[in-house]
Amino acid sequence: MATVHEIQADRRELEGKGASRRLRHADKVPAVLYGAKKAPESIQLDHKLAMLYSQNEWFYSSILLMKIGGETQKVLLRDMQRHAFKPRITHLDFQRVSETEKLRLKVPLHFVNQEISPAGKTAGVTVTHELNEVEIYCLPKDIPEFVEVDLSELKEGDIVHLSSLKLGAGVSIPSLRLGKEYDLAVALARMAREEVEIAPEGDAAAAAPAKGAAPAKGAAAAKGAAPAKGAAPAKGAAPAKGAAPAKKK
């Protein structure tokens, strides 16, 4: 089971865009708390604390012990909104946790033993991590802090799928019930290939002059090549063999 982490919040009475704007100016983050068959509740967090929480992996995938006044309740972060270009959190959504109700949530994947695997020791083989998190379904008490992906046996050409992940008791991946096409690749090992740039056939053809074409203006004719039909010989050049001398005007 994942470690429970504490966060601090306060209730707020005022709602609406204007109230939320004033809260942000006061360095607070407006938030909402819902679920567990209770009415939604408007709350707020200190922005500096919220930014500190957001820098930890557990804030997104673990049960949080929220302290509001003298009360404590278990919650999960469900949504976070950030400013478009400023390093600020603008809104948070939390869901209350019921110990008897199963939850869907995403937890991170931790890849281990890649360096000691056959693929990791083979020159030219690239190991790619296709996913960095997975959605699971379980009771709150069974939520893992992360899912470990052991790559110690990975060889060139191997693919690790979602169905290969080792999950704890009571934990499942709901997408696998939808069919084989949802059994996504989590990691794979393949030989890296060098890409050789080959000039297109049309470019090579364009580089050589067409058969019977006259040389470009100002370009010298190829050694031993006859002048184009009807063209006057170059100044000072000897007439071609067997050619009649030019008539005098």
Side-chain angles (χ1 to χ4, degrees):
M1 178 179 172
T3 305
V4 177
H5 300 271
E6 292 185 1
I7 62 172
Q8 183 65 49
D10 297 299
R11 289 187 174 87
R12 60 185 172 100
E13 301 298 330
L14 300 177
E15 299 181 12
K17 291 184 178 180
S20 295
R21 192 179 301 112
R22 288 191 294 272
L23 277 176
R24 295 184 185 106
H25 283 305
D27 213 25
K28 303 291 183 181
V29 181
V32 64
L33 178 61
Y34 63 89
K37 299 178 182 179
K38 295 181 181 179
E41 189 174 354
S42 297
I43 59 175
Q44 64 188 37
L45 283 77
D46 181 82
H47 186 267
K48 290 181 180 178
L49 284 177
M51 287 295 290
L52 184 63
Y53 300 149
S54 70
Q55 295 171 19
N56 295 280
E57 191 177 65
W58 52 259
F59 188 55
Y60 305 92
S61 58
S62 299
I63 292 178
L64 308 172
L65 198 61
M66 179 178 284
K67 292 188 174 183
I68 307 177
E71 299 178 7
T72 300
Q73 49 191 312
K74 293 180 179 180
V75 303
L76 281 171
L77 176 68
R78 282 308 195 185
D79 187 49
M80 175 190 289
Q81 297 176 23
R82 296 179 183 268
H83 194 277
F85 55 88
K86 294 180 181 179
R88 294 193 65 83
I89 298 171
T90 59
H91 196 273
L92 294 166
D93 286 6
F94 294 96
Q95 179 184 355
R96 299 184 186 94
V97 171
S98 170
E99 296 294 342
T100 58
E101 293 181 9
K102 288 190 174 184
L103 298 166
R104 280 176 180 251
L105 74 158
K106 291 182 178 180
V107 295
L109 296 173
H110 286 191
F111 296 87
V112 298
N113 298 326
Q114 178 176 318
E115 298 80 6
I116 65 172
S117 67
K121 293 180 179 180
T122 304
V125 173
T126 301
V127 178
T128 306
H129 302 164
E130 299 293 307
L131 301 175
N132 55 27
E133 62 181 11
V134 60
E135 185 180 54
I136 61 171
Y137 181 64
C138 62
L139 288 170
K141 67 180 182 64
D142 297 322
I143 296 175
E145 195 163 348
F146 58 85
V147 173
E148 187 175 273
V149 185
D150 187 2
L151 301 179
S152 59
E153 302 297 325
L154 190 69
K155 303 183 293 297
E156 179 192 348
D158 286 352
I159 301 176
V160 178
H161 289 90
L162 285 175
S163 57
S164 304
L165 299 181
K166 293 182 179 180
L167 305 172
V171 182
S172 62
I173 299 175
S175 61
L176 293 178
R177 301 174 185 172
L178 302 177
K180 292 183 179 180
E181 62 271 24
Y182 291 90
D183 190 9
L184 303 179
V186 175
L188 53 89
R190 56 189 171 190
M191 183 66 70
R193 297 181 180 179
E194 293 185 7
E195 294 185 2
V196 180
E197 188 174 344
I198 303 174
E201 192 173 326
D203 292 351
K211 186 176 181 181
K217 188 177 181 180
K223 187 176 180 181
K229 188 176 180 181
K235 188 176 180 180
K241 187 176 180 181
K247 291 184 180 180
K248 294 182 179 181
K249 293 184 180 179

